[in-house]
Amino acid sequence: ELAVVLAAMERGTLPATAHTSPDRDAFPDLDLVVGEPRPLDAAHAVVVSLGFGGADAAIAVERGDIEPVLDPDPPVAEADEIVATGASWLVPERGGLELDDDALDGLDDARAVRRLARFARLVRAAGILAVRDAGLDEAEVRRSSAFVGTRFGAAGYTLDYYDELIRDGLGAGNPLYFAESVPNIGSAQLSLGLGIEGTTLSVSGTMLAGIEAIHLARRHLVSGQADRAIVVVAEESHPRVADVLRRLGLLDDRGIAEGAAAIVLERAGVAADRGARVRGTLADTVLAWPDREGRAGIRQAIRVAAGMDGGAWTPDGDVVIPGSGSSAGRVVRAMLPRGVRTTLVGSEDRVERQSLAPIAPLVERLLGTERFASRVVWVDPTGAAGSVGIASVSSDR
């Protein structure tokens, strides 16, 4: 839609609506362009997309020769730390690929989740547990924003939907599978399940999706757009996804485990005003994409994410990286300066956790009782790198 709008503005032509004719009886005042295109001289345009579960978005564009009406710089809130006040972790017992059903029973409205994709149920369950851990009431949840990260989302329903199309033709598309397989279903269902009325956003497609969701949530809070954000990271377990990754050389003989984790982030002043328990501080987040081809680009992205370029916070504690069995982990470790204490995670796991893997050590520290200062550094197979710096409230940074 956005591409068509930009092309129409550039060419000065409003394209006709295809395969329709005006219904003057039902819509006597609707100015529908049909037949031939219409000349257009537009300085401004808006693209609106209305999705499921109130997941809507709009983009406003204008010609480059127009005097700006709004300040291009977003509002910035007064300096305030971002703190974690709640967390949750839902994964199968060690080595398992799927959670026991009783782990989710009683957390959510049974009728509401009966036909939902497994991914959506995991997202909602983790969000509910984190909200409880943070001690938020309904009004506080309602005013929150929601960010969801996943690599593959609702893989089962998505595959079922396209399997039917391939087997039986375009007329066989199942509306239930379609609605639950769209990329933003995680944040849509999180907002529906918890009653969130703030901004919602889904991030998908990479191992860094969870870190990216935390990064976007932090920026959202720092810029003053909200006081609180609920971040959920979740993955389904599906054998076909594992099979495809093995064919691409991106997965060993381990299976992909389902699971979900959630973190409640708040501006420190807001948390203090409601007397919240603070589990830790979110010092900063970094995302970096390779700016050149090959290993040189990957090395540069890792250096930026690890704080070696760009001034990111380097903790007095450990730097958490993928386990020694991971090629990504070996690359990250080689890039770090000598003397930096590293903690390898995932090397002993009998399962692969996808975008949940870098979130596990964050939640582990937030839910623990010991003081900590850590930076989690992770790499995606594309060469992109990301990091999250956290510390307990009493730790020096």
Side-chain angles (χ1 to χ4, degrees):
E1 293 170 352
L2 178 60
V4 171
V5 165
L6 295 176
M9 294 175 70
E10 289 177 347
R11 299 175 186 180
T13 301
L14 189 63
T17 302
H19 310 301
T20 191
S21 59
D23 185 346
R24 297 301 181 195
D25 294 331
F27 306 100
D29 300 320
L30 179 62
D31 184 19
L32 191 65
V33 181
V34 296
E36 295 298 320
R38 183 182 300 175
L40 173 72
D41 182 18
H44 302 86
V46 175
V47 179
V48 178
S49 292
L50 307 178
F52 297 100
D56 309 325
I59 300 177
V61 296
E62 63 183 23
R63 285 206 316 255
D65 60 351
I66 301 299
E67 284 292 325
V69 178
L70 299 176
D71 184 347
D73 296 322
V76 177
E78 296 179 4
D80 203 354
E81 283 187 326
I82 305 302
V83 297
T85 57
S88 68
W89 181 243
L90 266 175
V91 295
E93 293 294 329
R94 187 171 182 83
L97 298 183
E98 296 182 356
L99 282 160
D100 293 333
D101 286 339
D102 57 8
L104 303 180
D105 287 347
L107 289 178
D108 212 333
D109 183 335
R111 293 189 62 186
V113 301
R114 182 177 54 190
R115 297 181 179 177
L116 296 188
R118 184 70 169 182
F119 168 70
R121 291 193 63 189
L122 291 168
V123 167
R124 289 170 55 135
I128 290 169
L129 289 173
V131 163
R132 290 179 183 174
D133 186 58
L136 299 176
D137 60 30
E138 289 186 10
E140 290 164 338
V141 173
R142 186 166 58 250
R143 294 193 299 268
S144 302
S145 295
F147 295 78
V148 174
T150 180
R151 189 177 189 187
F152 295 112
Y157 272 24
T158 302
L159 288 166
D160 288 344
Y161 177 72
Y162 285 104
D163 279 346
E164 286 189 354
L165 292 185
I166 293 170
R167 184 181 65 246
D168 302 325
L170 293 177
N174 186 315
L176 171 62
Y177 292 157
F178 172 73
E180 283 293 299
S181 66
V182 294
N184 67 343
I185 194 60
S187 55
Q189 284 294 352
L190 184 62
S191 65
L192 286 170
L194 275 67
I196 295 170
E197 296 181 358
T199 296
T200 63
L201 180 68
S202 291
V203 182
S204 62
T206 71
M207 294 278 280
L208 298 177
I211 290 179
E212 188 171 357
I214 294 174
H215 175 73
L216 293 173
R218 184 185 69 83
R219 289 175 62 100
H220 188 66
L221 300 182
V222 169
S223 64
Q225 298 176 71
D227 291 329
R228 182 181 301 107
I230 300 165
V231 183
V232 181
V233 186
E235 296 289 351
E236 274 190 15
S237 174
H238 198 287
R240 199 181 309 176
V241 172
D243 181 56
V244 169
L245 290 178
R246 290 192 188 99
R247 293 185 187 187
L248 295 172
L250 299 176
L251 182 67
D252 52 25
D253 59 354
R254 293 176 298 170
I256 298 174
E258 71 174 11
I263 300 173
V264 176
L265 299 176
E266 300 185 64
R267 294 180 60 195
V270 173
D273 287 345
R274 70 179 187 88
R277 172 200 55 204
V278 176
R279 288 194 172 278
T281 60
L282 182 64
D284 62 40
T285 53
V286 181
L287 288 173
W289 283 264
D291 58 1
R292 67 200 79 168
E293 296 290 333
R295 292 181 63 86
I298 298 173
R299 283 196 296 268
Q300 179 62 21
I302 293 171
R303 289 179 62 87
V304 172
M308 299 165 63
D309 291 314
W313 171 67
T314 301
D316 296 330
D318 59 337
V319 176
V320 180
I321 61 177
S324 56
S326 161
S327 59
R330 290 193 294 270
V331 173
V332 174
R333 196 173 193 181
M335 292 294 101
L336 296 175
R338 290 185 178 181
V340 173
R341 192 177 77 215
T342 58
T343 296
L344 309 178
V345 297
S347 56
E348 303 301 322
D349 261 352
R350 295 190 294 245
V351 296
E352 169 59 57
R353 300 198 188 281
Q354 299 300 318
S355 65
L356 270 170
I359 308 304
L362 293 175
V363 175
E364 180 184 53
R365 284 156 176 74
L366 290 174
L367 292 176
T369 57
E370 298 181 359
R371 290 178 55 182
F372 63 88
S374 301
R375 170 168 295 282
V376 176
V377 180
W378 222 260
V379 184
D380 185 71
T382 62
S387 70
V388 177
I390 60 168
S392 51
V393 282
S394 57
S395 293
D396 295 329
R397 286 175 292 135

